[in-house]
Amino acid sequence: MTPPSAIALFRFQESDGVLPADALGNLHDLSIDTGLAMPAMASSTFTGRGRRFVNGAHNGFVTTDASDLGTLQKHDASVQAILSLDAATSAVHTVYARGTNSGALADRIALGLQVRVTTSGMYEARLFHHDENGTFQLMPPGVFQPLGTGKLFLLTATRAWLGRDRVVVRYYVGETQIADILTSHGSIAGGTQARTTVGVRGNAGAWTDYLCGVIDELAVYNYELSPGEVRQTWRRMTQHQPAGVDMFVGLEPPGVPWYDDPGNEIGKIVKTVGQSVGLKVAAAEELKDLWLPGSPAPLDVIGRHEDLAGVVPGRLDSLDQRNARLLMLAQSPTDEAIPTMLDLFAERFGQDIGQGSAELEVIEIRNTFTPVLDSSLGATLDPELWTTDNLGNAGAQFVVSAQHRLAISSANGQDLRYAAARLGVHARMPIDVGEAGPENNSPLNKPGRWYAQTKIDDYDSLAQGTGVGMVFASLGRGEHTWLGIYRHTVAEAAPNTWDVYLRVRGRDGTVQETTLAFSLAPKLGAGVAVWLRIRPHVGVVFGGGGQVTYDLYASIEGPESGFELLSNVSTVQGAPEWMGWSIISTIAAPLDSYANVSHLSCFCPDSLRTFSWYVFRDANEYGAVNPEPARKLFQRVKHAHTVGGVCQSKSVIYDDAILGLYDAGPMGGY
Amino acid sequence: MGPTIAAAARGELRVAAKAMRFAPPADAQVGDVLLALVWTHAGELLDTAHVPAGWTAPIGVSTTTNYKLWVYAHAVAASDFGPVDFPLQAAGSVAHEWQGSLLVVRGASLGCIEQVAGQEFAATATPPSTGVTDVEQATSLLVSLTVVLGTATPSGNLGDNTNEIPYTSDFVDSFSSRLIEEMHSSLVSRRAGETGGLTFFAGSATAAASGVQFTLVVREGRPHTPLELYDVVPGNLGLMGTDRRTEGSAFGAAASSGTGGGLVGGLVGGGP
């Protein structure tokens, strides 16, 4: 048996005139055959380059095996592609096929993936193959909505062969599984003539079902990718690797042109190295997802890992508690009490984890955290400027300075508001509260099961028309909810006073801003700290279009008490993927306009995610910068992918401020 | 399991009031979705500006030359509800026959209903079912509606539950009315992957005049929209990081070395 592996990987990085190569070397370079035209290079796709297929131009690739490492897919298999489909389409888009069905029995199709357009305008991803009688078998589909021309997405199809009359096919778009179907089509034949097509399907000596769109990357596996692997691939590509590049962007002195010109050599190297750094964190996340019990994990899996880690559960411990404990232990590799777990890590990652690698240091994992941007920075460093506007507003400044203040300056008319683009949040971390919708009914997808809060003080120096607060965003969809303290302008209803303020941008692009009624708002000002809290409304039903209702609270007493329900806000925003701090401003704001933000905590008792901080700095947006403070700050929050904030709580279970059991620990300072 | 049709009730054409009225179905439960289907002559447009409270605007309006299908939906709540009327536009008049049916759909939600197709046909022995058989949805219920309007009376009614060949799905209703002119309608439901279609009475029946076949898809959940991969950092490593190759390739050997150095070196150095 061939070991589980990828058997083909086309990155399509080649220029026009150069045949696309299989990065694994198992297939010959992609070429064309009679009746086919070479797809042209598509520049600037998600991974750099791709190939554009036009059905009317008969674009499609054909190739043959180059190695004897076992490229046949008779049983378990997966096809994964980053692609876009044109709105003006052919009815059937072939992504990949093993076998060209030219007439020979050996050339029947053993595995293929296509996307069909239904009469209702939906897309159906379908695996297909020939059975032993030569009948073309089209598997039941996974249905998804069209994304639009030129919009790239991740499509994954897997096939698990259980027997001649039992095959399970699963489909995913992004990280979301859209179908999980048992079929009886276990008779699979063909593919042994070692011919493969991409973007087109062979049928009785002719070509048909041309793809119309762009394939950015294509990978084929000889095993069934698990849901965890698909999810990890998605998170690695969209979160961890880009954050690694951001790290390098932030450390570059101003004026370096590579980021504006991604094609130059320095840019390539930095991006590659940056993404590789992200790859490490992704690997740690993957370990947690794929090797350790998930949630909910069955008793036997948890028990097995407890044995491995040498942990004896308490008599009354629930499975959730035992699971959470295991995950904490797994992320504390320096703990000598669990050498077996260390060995487990060492086996997987060599010396990178467990030995304190300089590249990656996973400090500690808790489901509540307090970020460490401690005040000692201010003793040795000048204010360091971090610009994240990303709207092209040259001169806009965002400052992380002493006392972990967020400060801002902008010219008249500049808009520093949170941008839909990826660099829009000044300091942020990924969170996982579950994707809204019945298709991914994670334990976190439960109203009231998580909340987040932050402390804001020293906001009295905020310039009029500016605000500072916490933001929850689904960056890929351009949605966000911002809750913070805003200082009115003299032209507004309550001139020059402070209010709790809400800004919501839904997935339809509409933006709503409003002042929230807070009975203690008249007391806001110098010397009055505010704690803000956001929580999914208890009783709300997720799904049905992704509508979510949030309860918004504010308190001036402390992190545990005095919270007043300000409002219920309903938004079509899905479950947030990131949280962080952000400043908004629409008018000229002086550089000394700032506020202290701290104690951003996210309580997710069901979460299994690592809380990793990312802090971004775009040197190109600001003038002369001494890179040394940036590096020191960077060291202070650890590398961009490590856990910059640590909660020293005694337990996961009881660290709940709402229940009055908030144990801030030695780092808390409440 | 997917959605099912738990009950159906015929509408009442009120010619003078220029409206189709539906009485509340006794079998509806909280959580069900009510689908009000109204099929009219194409020249007689319903007043979409005056949808009954709590009902969606028409989800799909299937336009063909002679017929239109209007689909309204309502989520059953605890306090539901009295008779509802779907009126004609004020300036219009009911010059042709209308019919309607109220379906109680269980296991679906608002937003999960798609209008798929409407196809007209002339004299035939078997109503077309292209819109039905062309779609094999993963988790859906297909509701097929066939309408025959007779300038001459069809020589047979549409199929009933003894004349579905070879229909493996559920027969819903078949009925005729003649307040203005004769109209015959039949409703069936079919699960994804099943086959078959309506026919007329075996042997003798044909549709002497024109008819139309409508198809609706009712899904368990609204199909997911993929998240877009933004090209904000060109040169993402993409799928490369997922490689599990354990032997036999230069790239695989590099990727599994544990440090990632081989991966980086391979890329920067020109690729494996």
Side-chain angles (χ1 to χ4, degrees), chain A residues 446-448 535-542 548-551 565 568:
Chain A
K446 293 174 183 171
R535 185 185 195 190
H537 184 68
V538 176
V540 72
V541 177
F542 283 80
V548 179
T549 300
Y550 290 114
D551 290 339
L565 177 62
N568 306 117

mmCIF file with all atom_site columns, all heavy atoms in Angstrom, chain A residues 446-448 535-542 548-551 565 568:
data_model
loop_
_atom_site.group_PDB
_atom_site.id
_atom_site.type_symbol
_atom_site.label_atom_id
_atom_site.label_alt_id
_atom_site.label_comp_id
_atom_site.label_asym_id
_atom_site.label_entity_id
_atom_site.label_seq_id
_atom_site.pdbx_PDB_ins_code
_atom_site.Cartn_x
_atom_site.Cartn_y
_atom_site.Cartn_z
_atom_site.occupancy
_atom_site.B_iso_or_equiv
_atom_site.pdbx_formal_charge
_atom_site.auth_seq_id
_atom_site.auth_comp_id
_atom_site.auth_asym_id
_atom_site.auth_atom_id
_atom_site.pdbx_PDB_model_num
ATOM 1   N N   . LYS A 1 446 ? -23.058 28.546 20.704 1.00 0.00 ? 446 LYS A N   1
ATOM 2   C CA  . LYS A 1 446 ? -24.178 28.573 21.635 1.00 0.00 ? 446 LYS A CA  1
ATOM 3   C C   . LYS A 1 446 ? -24.239 29.943 22.273 1.00 0.00 ? 446 LYS A C   1
ATOM 4   O O   . LYS A 1 446 ? -23.281 30.380 22.904 1.00 0.00 ? 446 LYS A O   1
ATOM 5   C CB  . LYS A 1 446 ? -23.987 27.501 22.716 1.00 0.00 ? 446 LYS A CB  1
ATOM 6   C CG  . LYS A 1 446 ? -24.069 26.088 22.174 1.00 0.00 ? 446 LYS A CG  1
ATOM 7   C CD  . LYS A 1 446 ? -23.724 25.086 23.240 1.00 0.00 ? 446 LYS A CD  1
ATOM 8   C CE  . LYS A 1 446 ? -23.750 23.683 22.668 1.00 0.00 ? 446 LYS A CE  1
ATOM 9   N NZ  . LYS A 1 446 ? -23.210 22.689 23.603 1.00 0.00 ? 446 LYS A NZ  1
ATOM 10  N N   . PRO A 1 447 ? -25.351 30.594 22.128 1.00 0.00 ? 447 PRO A N   1
ATOM 11  C CA  . PRO A 1 447 ? -25.471 31.933 22.693 1.00 0.00 ? 447 PRO A CA  1
ATOM 12  C C   . PRO A 1 447 ? -25.183 31.922 24.181 1.00 0.00 ? 447 PRO A C   1
ATOM 13  O O   . PRO A 1 447 ? -25.614 31.044 24.905 1.00 0.00 ? 447 PRO A O   1
ATOM 14  C CB  . PRO A 1 447 ? -26.918 32.295 22.412 1.00 0.00 ? 447 PRO A CB  1
ATOM 15  C CG  . PRO A 1 447 ? -27.300 31.438 21.264 1.00 0.00 ? 447 PRO A CG  1
ATOM 16  C CD  . PRO A 1 447 ? -26.535 30.155 21.426 1.00 0.00 ? 447 PRO A CD  1
ATOM 17  N N   . GLY A 1 448 ? -24.480 32.921 24.598 1.00 0.00 ? 448 GLY A N   1
ATOM 18  C CA  . GLY A 1 448 ? -24.197 33.055 26.006 1.00 0.00 ? 448 GLY A CA  1
ATOM 19  C C   . GLY A 1 448 ? -23.039 32.218 26.484 1.00 0.00 ? 448 GLY A C   1
ATOM 20  O O   . GLY A 1 448 ? -22.633 32.316 27.633 1.00 0.00 ? 448 GLY A O   1
ATOM 21  N N   . ARG A 1 535 ? -21.532 40.041 24.457 1.00 0.00 ? 535 ARG A N   1
ATOM 22  C CA  . ARG A 1 535 ? -21.898 38.645 24.674 1.00 0.00 ? 535 ARG A CA  1
ATOM 23  C C   . ARG A 1 535 ? -23.057 38.278 23.754 1.00 0.00 ? 535 ARG A C   1
ATOM 24  O O   . ARG A 1 535 ? -24.020 39.044 23.639 1.00 0.00 ? 535 ARG A O   1
ATOM 25  C CB  . ARG A 1 535 ? -22.347 38.481 26.128 1.00 0.00 ? 535 ARG A CB  1
ATOM 26  C CG  . ARG A 1 535 ? -22.650 37.064 26.536 1.00 0.00 ? 535 ARG A CG  1
ATOM 27  C CD  . ARG A 1 535 ? -23.197 37.039 27.950 1.00 0.00 ? 535 ARG A CD  1
ATOM 28  N NE  . ARG A 1 535 ? -23.160 35.699 28.497 1.00 0.00 ? 535 ARG A NE  1
ATOM 29  C CZ  . ARG A 1 535 ? -23.741 35.343 29.639 1.00 0.00 ? 535 ARG A CZ  1
ATOM 30  N NH1 . ARG A 1 535 ? -24.399 36.235 30.337 1.00 0.00 ? 535 ARG A NH1 1
ATOM 31  N NH2 . ARG A 1 535 ? -23.673 34.123 30.072 1.00 0.00 ? 535 ARG A NH2 1
ATOM 32  N N   . PRO A 1 536 ? -22.992 37.137 23.104 1.00 0.00 ? 536 PRO A N   1
ATOM 33  C CA  . PRO A 1 536 ? -24.150 36.724 22.309 1.00 0.00 ? 536 PRO A CA  1
ATOM 34  C C   . PRO A 1 536 ? -25.393 36.598 23.180 1.00 0.00 ? 536 PRO A C   1
ATOM 35  O O   . PRO A 1 536 ? -25.317 36.122 24.305 1.00 0.00 ? 536 PRO A O   1
ATOM 36  C CB  . PRO A 1 536 ? -23.732 35.358 21.747 1.00 0.00 ? 536 PRO A CB  1
ATOM 37  C CG  . PRO A 1 536 ? -22.254 35.375 21.796 1.00 0.00 ? 536 PRO A CG  1
ATOM 38  C CD  . PRO A 1 536 ? -21.884 36.199 22.992 1.00 0.00 ? 536 PRO A CD  1
ATOM 39  N N   . HIS A 1 537 ? -26.475 37.045 22.654 1.00 0.00 ? 537 HIS A N   1
ATOM 40  C CA  . HIS A 1 537 ? -27.713 37.107 23.410 1.00 0.00 ? 537 HIS A CA  1
ATOM 41  C C   . HIS A 1 537 ? -28.211 35.708 23.732 1.00 0.00 ? 537 HIS A C   1
ATOM 42  O O   . HIS A 1 537 ? -28.327 34.859 22.847 1.00 0.00 ? 537 HIS A O   1
ATOM 43  C CB  . HIS A 1 537 ? -28.761 37.860 22.599 1.00 0.00 ? 537 HIS A CB  1
ATOM 44  C CG  . HIS A 1 537 ? -30.050 38.066 23.317 1.00 0.00 ? 537 HIS A CG  1
ATOM 45  N ND1 . HIS A 1 537 ? -30.166 38.891 24.409 1.00 0.00 ? 537 HIS A ND1 1
ATOM 46  C CD2 . HIS A 1 537 ? -31.279 37.546 23.094 1.00 0.00 ? 537 HIS A CD2 1
ATOM 47  C CE1 . HIS A 1 537 ? -31.415 38.873 24.831 1.00 0.00 ? 537 HIS A CE1 1
ATOM 48  N NE2 . HIS A 1 537 ? -32.111 38.070 24.057 1.00 0.00 ? 537 HIS A NE2 1
ATOM 49  N N   . VAL A 1 538 ? -28.487 35.480 24.981 1.00 0.00 ? 538 VAL A N   1
ATOM 50  C CA  . VAL A 1 538 ? -28.996 34.175 25.390 1.00 0.00 ? 538 VAL A CA  1
ATOM 51  C C   . VAL A 1 538 ? -30.377 33.975 24.788 1.00 0.00 ? 538 VAL A C   1
ATOM 52  O O   . VAL A 1 538 ? -31.256 34.814 24.942 1.00 0.00 ? 538 VAL A O   1
ATOM 53  C CB  . VAL A 1 538 ? -29.056 34.074 26.921 1.00 0.00 ? 538 VAL A CB  1
ATOM 54  C CG1 . VAL A 1 538 ? -29.670 32.748 27.338 1.00 0.00 ? 538 VAL A CG1 1
ATOM 55  C CG2 . VAL A 1 538 ? -27.664 34.237 27.507 1.00 0.00 ? 538 VAL A CG2 1
ATOM 56  N N   . GLY A 1 539 ? -30.530 32.883 24.113 1.00 0.00 ? 539 GLY A N   1
ATOM 57  C CA  . GLY A 1 539 ? -31.819 32.595 23.517 1.00 0.00 ? 539 GLY A CA  1
ATOM 58  C C   . GLY A 1 539 ? -31.872 32.854 22.034 1.00 0.00 ? 539 GLY A C   1
ATOM 59  O O   . GLY A 1 539 ? -32.777 32.411 21.359 1.00 0.00 ? 539 GLY A O   1
ATOM 60  N N   . VAL A 1 540 ? -30.875 33.549 21.528 1.00 0.00 ? 540 VAL A N   1
ATOM 61  C CA  . VAL A 1 540 ? -30.879 33.821 20.105 1.00 0.00 ? 540 VAL A CA  1
ATOM 62  C C   . VAL A 1 540 ? -30.561 32.533 19.355 1.00 0.00 ? 540 VAL A C   1
ATOM 63  O O   . VAL A 1 540 ? -29.886 31.649 19.860 1.00 0.00 ? 540 VAL A O   1
ATOM 64  C CB  . VAL A 1 540 ? -29.854 34.921 19.747 1.00 0.00 ? 540 VAL A CB  1
ATOM 65  C CG1 . VAL A 1 540 ? -28.456 34.388 19.866 1.00 0.00 ? 540 VAL A CG1 1
ATOM 66  C CG2 . VAL A 1 540 ? -30.114 35.435 18.350 1.00 0.00 ? 540 VAL A CG2 1
ATOM 67  N N   . VAL A 1 541 ? -31.090 32.420 18.190 1.00 0.00 ? 541 VAL A N   1
ATOM 68  C CA  . VAL A 1 541 ? -30.856 31.221 17.394 1.00 0.00 ? 541 VAL A CA  1
ATOM 69  C C   . VAL A 1 541 ? -29.898 31.574 16.266 1.00 0.00 ? 541 VAL A C   1
ATOM 70  O O   . VAL A 1 541 ? -30.177 32.466 15.470 1.00 0.00 ? 541 VAL A O   1
ATOM 71  C CB  . VAL A 1 541 ? -32.176 30.678 16.822 1.00 0.00 ? 541 VAL A CB  1
ATOM 72  C CG1 . VAL A 1 541 ? -31.893 29.474 15.943 1.00 0.00 ? 541 VAL A CG1 1
ATOM 73  C CG2 . VAL A 1 541 ? -33.115 30.323 17.943 1.00 0.00 ? 541 VAL A CG2 1
ATOM 74  N N   . PHE A 1 542 ? -28.802 30.896 16.250 1.00 0.00 ? 542 PHE A N   1
ATOM 75  C CA  . PHE A 1 542 ? -27.871 31.095 15.157 1.00 0.00 ? 542 PHE A CA  1
ATOM 76  C C   . PHE A 1 542 ? -28.438 30.449 13.904 1.00 0.00 ? 542 PHE A C   1
ATOM 77  O O   . PHE A 1 542 ? -29.277 29.584 13.947 1.00 0.00 ? 542 PHE A O   1
ATOM 78  C CB  . PHE A 1 542 ? -26.509 30.467 15.469 1.00 0.00 ? 542 PHE A CB  1
ATOM 79  C CG  . PHE A 1 542 ? -25.693 31.268 16.417 1.00 0.00 ? 542 PHE A CG  1
ATOM 80  C CD1 . PHE A 1 542 ? -25.956 31.199 17.773 1.00 0.00 ? 542 PHE A CD1 1
ATOM 81  C CD2 . PHE A 1 542 ? -24.699 32.084 15.963 1.00 0.00 ? 542 PHE A CD2 1
ATOM 82  C CE1 . PHE A 1 542 ? -25.213 31.927 18.654 1.00 0.00 ? 542 PHE A CE1 1
ATOM 83  C CE2 . PHE A 1 542 ? -23.939 32.813 16.851 1.00 0.00 ? 542 PHE A CE2 1
ATOM 84  C CZ  . PHE A 1 542 ? -24.204 32.733 18.199 1.00 0.00 ? 542 PHE A CZ  1
ATOM 85  N N   . VAL A 1 548 ? -27.055 37.321 14.175 1.00 0.00 ? 548 VAL A N   1
ATOM 86  C CA  . VAL A 1 548 ? -26.601 37.150 15.542 1.00 0.00 ? 548 VAL A CA  1
ATOM 87  C C   . VAL A 1 548 ? -27.029 38.365 16.338 1.00 0.00 ? 548 VAL A C   1
ATOM 88  O O   . VAL A 1 548 ? -26.968 39.486 15.844 1.00 0.00 ? 548 VAL A O   1
ATOM 89  C CB  . VAL A 1 548 ? -25.065 37.011 15.597 1.00 0.00 ? 548 VAL A CB  1
ATOM 90  C CG1 . VAL A 1 548 ? -24.607 36.860 17.041 1.00 0.00 ? 548 VAL A CG1 1
ATOM 91  C CG2 . VAL A 1 548 ? -24.609 35.829 14.773 1.00 0.00 ? 548 VAL A CG2 1
ATOM 92  N N   . THR A 1 549 ? -27.486 38.147 17.544 1.00 0.00 ? 549 THR A N   1
ATOM 93  C CA  . THR A 1 549 ? -27.804 39.265 18.421 1.00 0.00 ? 549 THR A CA  1
ATOM 94  C C   . THR A 1 549 ? -26.797 39.294 19.562 1.00 0.00 ? 549 THR A C   1
ATOM 95  O O   . THR A 1 549 ? -26.523 38.274 20.189 1.00 0.00 ? 549 THR A O   1
ATOM 96  C CB  . THR A 1 549 ? -29.224 39.129 18.986 1.00 0.00 ? 549 THR A CB  1
ATOM 97  O OG1 . THR A 1 549 ? -30.141 39.104 17.895 1.00 0.00 ? 549 THR A OG1 1
ATOM 98  C CG2 . THR A 1 549 ? -29.551 40.302 19.890 1.00 0.00 ? 549 THR A CG2 1
ATOM 99  N N   . TYR A 1 550 ? -26.235 40.469 19.795 1.00 0.00 ? 550 TYR A N   1
ATOM 100 C CA  . TYR A 1 550 ? -25.279 40.632 20.873 1.00 0.00 ? 550 TYR A CA  1
ATOM 101 C C   . TYR A 1 550 ? -25.892 41.472 21.982 1.00 0.00 ? 550 TYR A C   1
ATOM 102 O O   . TYR A 1 550 ? -26.620 42.430 21.730 1.00 0.00 ? 550 TYR A O   1
ATOM 103 C CB  . TYR A 1 550 ? -24.021 41.334 20.367 1.00 0.00 ? 550 TYR A CB  1
ATOM 104 C CG  . TYR A 1 550 ? -23.183 40.501 19.440 1.00 0.00 ? 550 TYR A CG  1
ATOM 105 C CD1 . TYR A 1 550 ? -23.026 40.848 18.108 1.00 0.00 ? 550 TYR A CD1 1
ATOM 106 C CD2 . TYR A 1 550 ? -22.523 39.359 19.903 1.00 0.00 ? 550 TYR A CD2 1
ATOM 107 C CE1 . TYR A 1 550 ? -22.249 40.092 17.256 1.00 0.00 ? 550 TYR A CE1 1
ATOM 108 C CE2 . TYR A 1 550 ? -21.742 38.602 19.061 1.00 0.00 ? 550 TYR A CE2 1
ATOM 109 C CZ  . TYR A 1 550 ? -21.606 38.967 17.735 1.00 0.00 ? 550 TYR A CZ  1
ATOM 110 O OH  . TYR A 1 550 ? -20.847 38.214 16.899 1.00 0.00 ? 550 TYR A OH  1
ATOM 111 N N   . ASP A 1 551 ? -25.554 41.122 23.215 1.00 0.00 ? 551 ASP A N   1
ATOM 112 C CA  . ASP A 1 551 ? -25.838 41.982 24.354 1.00 0.00 ? 551 ASP A CA  1
ATOM 113 C C   . ASP A 1 551 ? -24.584 42.802 24.625 1.00 0.00 ? 551 ASP A C   1
ATOM 114 O O   . ASP A 1 551 ? -23.478 42.255 24.680 1.00 0.00 ? 551 ASP A O   1
ATOM 115 C CB  . ASP A 1 551 ? -26.181 41.146 25.592 1.00 0.00 ? 551 ASP A CB  1
ATOM 116 C CG  . ASP A 1 551 ? -27.524 40.450 25.452 1.00 0.00 ? 551 ASP A CG  1
ATOM 117 O OD1 . ASP A 1 551 ? -28.330 40.918 24.629 1.00 0.00 ? 551 ASP A OD1 1
ATOM 118 O OD2 . ASP A 1 551 ? -27.748 39.455 26.154 1.00 0.00 ? 551 ASP A OD2 1
ATOM 119 N N   . LEU A 1 565 ? -26.789 46.538 31.053 1.00 0.00 ? 565 LEU A N   1
ATOM 120 C CA  . LEU A 1 565 ? -27.103 46.149 29.682 1.00 0.00 ? 565 LEU A CA  1
ATOM 121 C C   . LEU A 1 565 ? -27.463 47.398 28.886 1.00 0.00 ? 565 LEU A C   1
ATOM 122 O O   . LEU A 1 565 ? -28.409 48.103 29.214 1.00 0.00 ? 565 LEU A O   1
ATOM 123 C CB  . LEU A 1 565 ? -28.271 45.160 29.667 1.00 0.00 ? 565 LEU A CB  1
ATOM 124 C CG  . LEU A 1 565 ? -28.752 44.712 28.279 1.00 0.00 ? 565 LEU A CG  1
ATOM 125 C CD1 . LEU A 1 565 ? -27.646 43.985 27.532 1.00 0.00 ? 565 LEU A CD1 1
ATOM 126 C CD2 . LEU A 1 565 ? -29.987 43.840 28.394 1.00 0.00 ? 565 LEU A CD2 1
ATOM 127 N N   . ASN A 1 568 ? -29.375 45.574 22.863 1.00 0.00 ? 568 ASN A N   1
ATOM 128 C CA  . ASN A 1 568 ? -29.238 44.356 22.085 1.00 0.00 ? 568 ASN A CA  1
ATOM 129 C C   . ASN A 1 568 ? -29.088 44.786 20.641 1.00 0.00 ? 568 ASN A C   1
ATOM 130 O O   . ASN A 1 568 ? -29.910 45.526 20.126 1.00 0.00 ? 568 ASN A O   1
ATOM 131 C CB  . ASN A 1 568 ? -30.470 43.452 22.203 1.00 0.00 ? 568 ASN A CB  1
ATOM 132 C CG  . ASN A 1 568 ? -30.808 43.156 23.641 1.00 0.00 ? 568 ASN A CG  1
ATOM 133 O OD1 . ASN A 1 568 ? -31.866 43.526 24.101 1.00 0.00 ? 568 ASN A OD1 1
ATOM 134 N ND2 . ASN A 1 568 ? -29.906 42.509 24.322 1.00 0.00 ? 568 ASN A ND2 1
#
